[in-house]
Amino acid sequence: MARQSGIIPLKGTIGNITFYKTKAGHLAREKGGVDASRIATDPAFVRTRENGAEFGRAGKAGKLLRTAFRALLLNIGDSYMSSRLTREMVKVIQADETNVRGQRNVIDGEAELLKGFEFNSNARLGGTLYAPFTTAIDRAAGTLIVDIPSFVPINMVAAPTGATHFKVLAAGAEIDFEAETFINGGAASAELPIDATATAVMALTVNVTDNTTKPLFLALGVEFYQQVNGALYSLKNGAFNALALVDISGIPAAPNP
C-alpha cells in the first residue's frame, strides 16, 4: 500500500494498480491474492471458506442489531462502530459449542459477550455517566429496566464543552437472528440542565414480548444539548453522545424433560 501524491488523485484500476480513497487519504496498492474460484473449491482453503461464512454471518447479525437500535444510533458519531460490532459478533459466533466450524451462529453462541459494547468509542458511557444504575431483564413480563437513583448532574455527568442540558435514554430490543426481525422500544428522561440540582429517581422501562425465547438487549445512553435562545440543539451532531449495551439475556435454557 502506497500513498498517492500529486495534484489530481486517482480512483479505479490501471493495470495491476488500484487507486482508492480512505480516511487516511488517497492510496494505491497492487492487485494480488488468490483467484476467487480457487478459494471457493480448493480443499486447501476450507478454513478460509469456514471463516468467511462465519464472518458474513457476524456482519449480518451486527447489522440487524444496529437496525434495532437505529433511533439512538442516528445521534451517535462513530464511523468505525459497525466494523467494531462485527468483530465482537465474530467472538459471539466462535463461542458456539454446538455446531461445527463454518456453521456456528449467533443463536448458539454467547450473546452475553456483547455486554459492555460501546457504540461510540469516542464517548464511552463509563466515562460520561458516573451515576450508579442497576438493570433487570424480566422475560416473563417482557420488560427491560434501568433504575437510576437521584444524582447531581454537575458532579455525575462528564459533559463536553458547550453542553447545557442532557438526557438519559434506555432502549431495548428482542431480536430474532434467524428470521432477521426484531421488536424494540425505548424510554427517556426529560432534557435536564447540567447544574447542581438533583435529578428525580429514574425508572426507565422498555416492553417487549412476554415470555419470549429470543435474545434480549438493553442499552443505556446519554445525549447532550446546547440551549440557545430558549431552544435546545443536539451538540455537535452527536459526537459526544454515549450509548452502550448494559445488559443482555441470550437464549434461555430449555426446560428439563
Side-chain angles (χ1 to χ4, degrees), residues 220-240:
L220 181 65
V222 179
E223 291 186 356
F224 290 103
Y225 303 87
Q226 185 177 66
Q227 188 176 57
V228 180
N229 296 329
L232 293 176
Y233 299 89
S234 180
L235 190 68
K236 295 188 180 297
N237 298 318
F240 299 105

Side-chain angles (χ1 to χ4, degrees), residues 5-198:
S5 63
I7 299 175
I8 302 176
L10 301 176
K11 291 184 181 180
T13 300
I14 301 176
N16 289 325
I17 305 297
T18 298
F19 302 89
Y20 59 102
K21 180 181 179 181
T22 70
K23 287 192 173 183
H26 293 273
L27 306 178
R29 65 185 175 191
E30 185 177 3
K31 293 175 62 178
V34 182
D35 184 80
S37 61
R38 181 184 175 192
I39 293 177
T41 58
D42 193 330
F45 290 93
V46 62
R47 289 290 176 262
T48 301
R49 292 193 293 273
E50 291 171 351
N51 292 336
E54 293 183 353
F55 184 82
R57 207 167 290 128
K60 183 179 293 185
K63 181 179 180 180
L64 184 61
L65 180 61
R66 297 197 312 273
T67 304
F69 289 103
R70 178 171 171 76
L72 297 187
L73 294 180
L74 288 173
N75 298 321
I76 294 292
D78 183 348
S79 58
Y80 295 102
M81 181 265 294
S82 60
S83 59
R84 291 191 298 105
L85 181 57
T86 297
R87 183 173 65 244
E88 297 306 309
M89 198 67 79
V90 167
K91 297 177 183 178
V92 171
I93 289 176
Q94 290 175 339
D96 177 0
E97 297 181 350
T98 301
N99 300 290
V100 297
R101 287 186 56 165
Q103 298 179 20
R104 294 178 295 189
N105 57 68
V106 175
I107 299 299
D108 296 310
E110 295 291 336
E112 289 84 355
L113 291 175
L114 293 175
K115 183 176 180 179
F117 178 79
E118 298 278 358
F119 288 98
N120 189 357
S121 62
N122 301 312
R124 296 177 177 274
L125 181 65
T128 302
L129 179 66
Y130 290 92
F133 63 86
T134 58
T135 64
I137 295 179
D138 187 335
R139 282 187 170 274
T143 58
L144 301 91
I145 304 168
V146 177
D147 288 318
I148 308 176
S150 174
F151 64 93
V152 176
I154 199 170
N155 295 334
M156 305 303 283
V157 175
T161 302
T164 61
H165 291 69
F166 75 103
K167 180 166 62 176
V168 179
L169 312 97
E174 168 192 342
I175 301 182
D176 186 335
F177 288 102
E178 292 179 312
E180 298 183 22
T181 60
F182 59 84
I183 296 172
N184 61 1
S189 70
E191 290 88 358
L192 303 170
I194 303 171
D195 58 17
T197 302

